[in-house]
Amino acid sequence: SLLGAAAMAALAAGVLPHATFAQDQPQYTIALVPGLTTDAFYITMQRGAQAAADALGVELVFQGAADFNPVTQVPVLDAVIARGPDAILIAPTDKTQLVEPLRRAHDAGIPVITVDTFIGTGVYQTGSGDADFPLSYIASDNVLGGRMAARALAEAIGGEGQVYVSNVNPGISTTDQREEGFKAEMAENFPNVEVLETQFNENDANNAASQLQAVFARNPNLKGVFGANLFSALGAANGVQQAGQTGNVRVIAFDAPTSIVDNINTGLVDVAIAQHPAEIGYYGVVSAYAHLTGQSIPTAIGTGFTVINKDNVSDPEVAKFIYSD
Ligand code: T6T
């Protein structure tokens, strides 16, 4: 953090609001609350957010829970609200369960922008519903991402056979939408692909690996799996490898941690759909700053994808989208 140790201690103790900083201290403090702290996706988002914070001379505070779970995220959010930042950027870990906790920030006069995930319907500032109060939603188009994954998997398996989605938990906007897009694309365009029941792994790669082996044991003709986020994909790929099915059960991964390069090169993973988390963080900070300085901001900002496969994984223009550790 850019905060001095004394200011940090004072802030943690809640005794020194940022407004009493010396003149050369940043004018605004923006908090970024990730889905979890130890995830290359959010670490990369933090990198982009910090780049914008440095450019604008604002203070960025990155504070989150150790796992992707509303039960652990809400107390962190409450602590962040108590510190009174000028704005909160947050990846809500559940589209329903974070509505009331985030309303506490809104009621305290702290502008809220959701990054990566959304609450309610994700359509904000409409004057309807109980979850339209965030100013903006900055994220990948996750339905599209799910459709892209379906096309990649259908192609890898020659357009027919059994597949399934390895997913986190129901109720998370991103991964729900990826599954929705994946299933819609298969239903509309790949009639010979059978999508088996989704397996939920609670964001635990070990669960995802055991589930892969169990699904394969029940369905020996299994042809592929879509890992709908980093840990789901990592775990599903490990499961394929442990089952000795590399190349026979094909893997399409959402997200692009550094380990994906090896997995693509060895053929364990056919395609990784990299999100652009640094852009999400960058535009999150820029949008908060624009709002704080009296500008209007878009209610939604969409960021892109980079599709990584064996043919392009070594290209620096592609490799730059591999996430930071
Ligand atoms: O896929 C990302 C993120 O978009 C999703 O909301 C949760 O999982 C990740 O953080 C990857 O682990």
Side-chain angles (χ1 to χ4, degrees), residues 193-244:
V193 174
E194 182 190 353
V195 182
L196 302 171
E197 199 185 333
T198 295
Q199 304 293 307
F200 291 105
N201 57 52
E202 301 189 323
N203 218 28
D204 182 334
N206 291 325
N207 287 345
S210 338
Q211 288 166 347
L212 183 291
Q213 297 189 59
V215 173
F216 178 64
R218 289 195 297 270
N219 306 277
N221 291 323
L222 183 72
K223 286 283 172 278
V225 58
F226 167 38
N229 85 331
L230 193 155
F231 300 99
S232 305
L234 194 70
N238 287 342
V240 167
Q241 190 170 36
Q242 286 155 12

Side-chain angles (χ1 to χ4, degrees), residues 41 67 71 76 94 154 203 273:
F41 174 84
D67 56 1
V71 174
V76 172
D94 187 284
N203 218 28
I273 298 173

Side-chain angles (χ1 to χ4, degrees), residues 39 41-42 68 116-117 174 178 229-231 255 275:
D39 176 339
F41 174 84
Y42 293 112
F68 193 98
D116 174 45
T117 47
T174 45
R178 290 170 203 162
N229 85 331
L230 193 155
F231 300 99
D255 293 312
Q275 302 186 74

Side-chain angles (χ1 to χ4, degrees), residues 161-184:
Q162 295 177 319
V163 304
Y164 77 97
V165 182
S166 175
N167 212 339
V168 181
N169 271 324
I172 304 165
S173 71
T174 45
T175 49
D176 282 358
Q177 287 191 327
R178 290 170 203 162
E179 180 176 335
E180 179 194 321
F182 179 87
K183 288 180 167 168

Side-chain angles (χ1 to χ4, degrees), residues 81-210:
I81 294 171
R83 287 169 72 159
D86 295 292
I88 293 177
L89 309 175
I90 183 169
T93 47
D94 187 284
K95 58 192 169 198
T96 311
Q97 293 183 56
L98 265 292
V99 173
E100 290 313 313
L102 279 173
R103 195 196 310 286
R104 293 196 279 274
H106 178 65
D107 289 348
I110 305 171
V112 174
I113 290 173
T114 75
V115 285
D116 174 45
T117 47
F118 60 71
I119 53 171
T121 61
V123 182
Y124 298 152
Q125 300 294 309
T126 60
S128 75
D130 65 349
D132 79 314
F133 57 84
L135 296 176
S136 189
Y137 166 53
I138 306 173
S140 307
D141 179 339
N142 287 288
V143 176
L144 173 64
R147 284 185 178 273
M148 290 165 67
R151 292 198 285 268
L153 187 53
E155 187 183 332
I157 66 173
E160 60 186 333
Q162 295 177 319
V163 304
Y164 77 97
V165 182
S166 175
N167 212 339
V168 181
N169 271 324
I172 304 165
S173 71
T174 45
T175 49
D176 282 358
Q177 287 191 327
R178 290 170 203 162
E179 180 176 335
E180 179 194 321
F182 179 87
K183 288 180 167 168
E185 182 70 20
M186 288 302 194
E188 289 164 24
N189 294 317
F190 301 98
N192 298 325
V193 174
E194 182 190 353
V195 182
L196 302 171
E197 199 185 333
T198 295
Q199 304 293 307
F200 291 105
N201 57 52
E202 301 189 323
N203 218 28
D204 182 334
N206 291 325
N207 287 345
S210 338

